[in-house]
Amino acid sequence: MSATVGLPQGMLYHRYGLLWRTFFQELGIETVRSGQTTKEIMDRGAALCVDEACLSAKIFLGHVDALVGRCTYILVPRVSSFGHKRMMCTRFEAMPDIVRNVFRDRGQQFLHYDLDVNQHHDEPDAFLALGTALGCTKKAAKKAYAAAKKEERRRYKERVAAEEALYKKEGMKILIAAHSYVIEDPYLGRPVLDILKGLGAIPIRADLTDREAAVKRSAELSPTIKWEMNREILGGLAAHWDQVDGIVLLSAFPCGPDSMVNEIILHQIRDVPILNLTLDAQSGTAGVETRLESFVDIIHFKEGTL
Ligand code: SF4
């Protein structure tokens, strides 16, 4: 039987999912996904994790657990840096070690994707290592990566264009500053988007942006922040905060990088109403709904449309 690779649908899956799936597909390797986040996945991950871990990390462990025994390997990425002063949160560095330790008695094999530009291991290197670890030739792995990257670029460009088009629409626009794995998770951020739409607002994602340009532009709000994904969000905010009616800062509890970056945003952007919303395992959508309703009312009141 040929190898199958399990893809946990948490954390970096929301950034690299299409790239990984297309890469494995090009190599003729079957993938198995853990499925959308459910309460069961979240509770299972929380039970496997130390209390201090952020909700996103707990959810990720729940997704790994959902795949154990269903595939030959489970892909657990380690992404550390994209270059000088372009770091990832330490949870992304530690995750392969955490997973190995938590699931050490379950007889599951894990596959690593290791991206650390500061250690001269860039994305093409990471994919080459991934392909050869699965027994593919270097030539086949390079070809599969080139095809997957082309598809990822094409799709991401489309998504950014669709998001940019929302700024031209009539209506109350709310910019959401959140990590992709928070805003896209059906248990975390998706309900926030749905509630805002239900209230007649147009939610727009700050993270869906030209990433390289956003990293450069992030210096307008903070020249010192080093976390890559926070810089992308800051860059998205810097480019668009003056085109929206309100901003929602959406974080998973307890996120160290967001707690610092959100303070900077609150300090730097003064002219637009900002709601700071932290999601934890207990916060049902009822509390979130009430806060979003009040926020939308405040914007209406400010704009004289209540
Ligand atoms: S940035 Fe925040 S939410 Fe993301 S992994 Fe780190 S602590 Fe968790």
Side-chain angles (χ1 to χ4, degrees):
M1 199 181 78
S2 55
T4 51
V5 176
L7 301 175
Q9 285 180 251
M11 293 176 98
L12 291 173
Y13 179 84
H14 294 277
R15 187 181 182 96
Y16 295 110
L18 176 66
L19 189 61
W20 289 332
R21 286 199 320 272
T22 316
F23 175 74
F24 290 124
Q25 193 183 325
E26 290 287 324
L27 290 174
I29 295 168
E30 193 188 332
T31 53
V32 182
R33 283 183 270 175
S34 53
Q36 301 279 19
T37 304
T38 59
K39 180 154 180 10
E40 192 189 350
I41 283 181
M42 191 181 69
D43 289 346
R44 184 71 190 128
L48 290 166
C49 232
V50 292
D51 283 348
E52 294 74 23
C54 70
L55 186 53
S56 304
K58 288 175 181 168
I59 287 174
F60 184 81
L61 282 196
H63 280 282
V64 174
D65 185 67
L67 286 167
V68 169
R70 290 173 54 202
C71 45
T72 320
Y73 303 100
I74 297 176
L75 181 67
V76 181
R78 173 183 173 271
V79 177
S80 179
S81 69
F82 292 87
H84 182 58
K85 293 188 177 174
R86 297 179 67 175
M87 310 301 294
M88 288 289 272
C89 164
T90 50
R91 302 230 187 263
F92 294 106
E93 281 197 72
M95 197 46 83
D97 295 326
I98 293 170
V99 168
R100 266 191 200 288
N101 187 39
V102 169
F103 297 95
R104 63 187 177 280
D105 299 328
R106 304 276 292 273
Q108 177 66 52
Q109 297 184 79
F110 296 99
L111 188 62
H112 294 315
Y113 168 85
D114 191 7
L115 175 58
D116 192 348
V117 175
N118 286 347
Q119 294 301 320
H120 313 291
H121 202 70
D122 62 12
E123 193 175 276
D125 295 334
F127 276 87
L128 193 60
L130 204 50
T132 50
L134 288 165
C136 303
T137 62
K138 285 184 180 179
K139 189 178 171 193
K142 280 183 187 171
K143 193 168 168 241
Y145 170 67
K149 195 66 192 170
K150 191 174 169 194
E151 176 60 10
E152 184 208 39
R153 283 205 182 104
R154 185 192 67 76
R155 181 69 191 118
Y156 191 69
K157 218 170 158 184
E158 272 178 14
R159 293 179 75 197
V160 171
E163 212 65 14
E164 297 276 343
L166 295 175
Y167 292 103
K168 297 195 178 79
K169 284 183 112 180
E170 286 297 316
M172 181 192 291
K173 293 179 260 301
I174 310 276
L175 194 52
I176 316 279
H179 294 286
S180 58
Y181 47 87
V182 171
I183 194 69
E184 286 178 11
D185 192 295
Y187 212 80
L188 297 177
R190 282 268 176 81
V192 171
L193 295 178
D194 293 342
I195 292 166
L196 284 171
K197 284 179 194 163
L199 292 167
I202 303 166
I204 310 177
R205 290 174 50 175
D207 66 305
L208 270 181
T209 184
D210 177 332
R211 289 175 179 151
E212 285 295 326
V215 165
K216 286 188 190 121
R217 194 148 189 190
S218 66
E220 288 176 26
L221 292 175
S222 170
T224 52
I225 288 295
K226 291 181 187 169
W227 299 295
E228 180 81 353
M229 290 196 290
N230 286 95
R231 287 181 71 182
E232 290 169 4
I233 294 167
L234 280 174
L237 282 173
H240 297 296
W241 70 265
D242 56 353
Q243 298 165 50
V244 297
D245 302 279
I247 297 170
V248 174
L249 310 178
L250 189 65
S251 305
F253 180 82
C255 176
D258 280 8
S259 64
M260 187 183 285
V261 171
N262 288 352
E263 281 304 313
I264 292 170
I265 295 167
L266 289 165
H267 192 259
Q268 296 283 64
I269 300 178
R270 300 279 189 167
D271 302 331
V272 179
I274 301 179
L275 175 66
N276 198 352
L277 207 54
T278 302
L279 303 169
D280 61 37
Q282 276 75 46
S283 58
T285 48
V288 170
E289 199 164 349
T290 309
R291 293 193 64 196
L292 288 169
E293 272 171 12
S294 309
F295 184 60
V296 167
D297 281 350
I298 288 167
I299 295 171
H300 275 305
F301 184 74
K302 183 173 172 273
E303 295 180 350
T305 53
L306 194 62

